[in-house]
Amino acid sequence: MKIGIDIDGVILDYERVLRTYGDLYDFIELKKDGIVNRNEHYLRNRYNWTEEERMNFINKYFLELSKQTSLIPGAKDVIHMLQKEGNELIVISARGGTVKEMKDVAMKKLQEEGISFDKYYWKQDDKLETAKNENIDIMIDDSYDVCKKLSENQIKMIYFRDKDMKEIKENEYVKEVSNWGEIYRYIKSIENK
């Protein structure tokens, strides 16, 4: 099976770290209550920051927080199990698009953890084309928008949803999970059909 995997919020717990420091930046540094949508994945839609405030946050925190981010529990073990079972694992990530050095930070962290993939696609703002070109059987992502778009194009999605993120209606093309144990269980259930 060909499995596409996002990095942030799926393998690295970056999204939760980013939201934590986004809230601190908003409250302490900007001295406001700028959250307009707590369930929003993207900073530009989560806070009512000006473009200058958003860019200040990106420049001050993105790379540094990326270096501090740890693996999501179970990611390493399940990735290794899926590889031993003969699955082809392909990274499809937007990482490196806003701050290009973040790709190198992720690669270093993956190497330190002994995790590697068959292929890497970085700076992927639109993951649909890559998923189609690679003939992905299933994609794991934490973005509601990515899951919605790919599933509407008949690509099976595993929506790795953090509790504060938007819920998605499950169907034959999208399954919502909250941990790597659920990911493994779901992939095995598909294989056994």
Side-chain angles (χ1 to χ4, degrees), residues 2-182:
K2 271 190 163 183
I3 303 170
I5 304 178
D6 182 33
I7 293 283
D8 294 315
V10 175
I11 296 172
L12 297 176
D13 205 6
Y14 183 68
E15 303 295 350
R16 187 186 330 251
V17 171
L18 197 62
R19 286 192 303 273
T20 299
Y21 283 89
D23 285 352
L24 291 171
Y25 171 77
D26 181 67
F27 185 70
I28 295 169
E29 292 185 41
L30 299 180
K31 298 186 182 341
K32 60 190 204 178
D33 184 15
I35 297 176
V36 292
N37 188 347
R38 181 164 299 287
N39 297 335
E40 187 53 57
H41 184 80
Y42 301 104
L43 290 176
R44 66 183 165 273
N45 300 330
R46 184 176 173 85
Y47 302 97
N48 66 353
W49 297 344
T50 65
E51 185 60 19
E52 181 181 352
E53 290 168 337
R54 188 175 78 81
M55 290 311 296
N56 285 341
F57 179 79
I58 288 169
N59 293 331
K60 184 173 182 177
Y61 289 104
F62 264 38
L63 187 58
E64 190 55 42
L65 294 177
S66 181
K67 293 175 184 175
Q68 296 175 22
T69 303
S70 60
L71 291 180
I72 290 181
K76 180 178 178 176
D77 293 332
V78 172
I79 287 167
H80 286 156
M81 287 190 294
L82 291 170
Q83 288 171 323
K84 284 180 185 169
E85 293 167 2
N87 295 289
E88 184 178 347
L89 304 184
I90 301 169
V91 166
I92 304 174
S93 175
R95 186 177 263 250
T98 305
V99 179
K100 73 176 194 168
E101 297 87 359
M102 287 178 60
K103 178 194 92 138
D104 300 327
V105 170
M107 287 299 294
K108 182 178 179 193
K109 199 168 287 277
L110 293 172
Q111 284 176 336
E112 288 170 355
E113 292 290 340
I115 300 172
S116 63
F117 295 90
D118 296 288
K119 292 182 184 173
Y120 298 85
Y121 291 93
W122 302 101
K123 303 179 194 176
Q124 300 295 300
D125 287 329
D126 184 0
K127 298 178 182 180
L128 178 60
E129 184 178 340
T130 304
K132 281 184 170 182
N133 289 342
E134 279 294 335
N135 201 24
I136 296 293
D137 294 304
I138 193 158
M139 175 76 189
I140 307 167
D141 208 295
D142 68 316
S143 166
Y144 173 90
D145 295 333
V146 169
C147 289
K148 189 163 174 40
K149 183 175 184 176
L150 272 66
S151 66
E152 287 173 350
N153 283 276
Q154 289 76 50
I155 295 172
K156 282 194 180 293
M157 293 297 307
I158 295 177
Y159 179 29
F160 197 112
R161 187 177 79 85
D162 197 18
K163 72 174 188 70
D164 288 336
M165 296 297 98
K166 290 187 235 180
E167 292 183 38
I168 198 165
K169 186 175 181 189
E170 290 187 5
N171 59 51
E172 67 180 299
Y173 292 105
V174 65
K175 171 74 173 165
E176 187 176 292
V177 302
S178 63
N179 66 64
W180 274 90
E182 288 181 285

